[in-house]
Amino acid sequence: MVSASTDSVGVMNRLKYISLWLFGLFFIAAGANHFVNRPFYVSIMPPYLPWPVALVYISGVAEIGLGGLLLFERWSQLAAWGLIALLIAVFPANVHMALHPELYQWA
């Protein structure tokens, strides 16, 4: 007979595994979208940041790479911290959009 605590550990491990795969695939798709829909990402770059196209490509590569690393248990913790740092790094674009909604009527 399996104890309740052992069963809950199994459920949590399955949920963690599923979550890692969902987040990994989400970030891979989001990163790929930086290349498919480059004009959109360039348009939301704050004007005070230099090289908007390069930054869009760099953030796309970072999302693809870190999302992929999230799928490997050995690298998942490092990838998670990298994604946190990446989300902080791209936050100015979100703030810029929030402060200037008139520039993004299509959003």
Side-chain angles (χ1 to χ4, degrees):
M1 179 176 253
V2 177
S3 71
S5 64
T6 305
D7 189 42
S8 64
V9 169
V11 169
M12 291 304 292
N13 284 337
R14 283 192 294 278
L15 287 175
K16 180 180 176 182
Y17 179 80
I18 291 168
S19 297
L20 285 173
W21 272 88
L22 288 175
F23 276 106
L25 294 174
F26 169 79
F27 278 105
I28 291 169
N33 198 39
H34 283 65
F35 298 94
V36 173
N37 198 6
R38 180 184 52 87
F40 166 76
Y41 290 97
V42 170
S43 74
I44 66 172
M45 292 291 287
Y48 56 84
L49 292 176
W51 315 297
V53 174
L55 290 174
V56 166
Y57 286 149
I58 290 167
S59 62
V61 167
E63 285 187 28
I64 292 168
L66 292 168
L69 286 177
L70 205 55
L71 305 179
F72 296 94
E73 186 176 352
R74 177 179 181 179
W75 299 102
S76 63
Q77 189 172 9
L78 178 66
W81 283 109
L83 286 166
I84 290 168
L86 178 65
L87 290 172
I88 292 168
V90 301
F91 190 66
N94 298 325
V95 171
H96 180 71
M97 285 183 73
L99 293 177
H100 303 285
E102 70 280 1
L103 299 175
Y104 307 103
Q105 294 300 319
W106 45 264

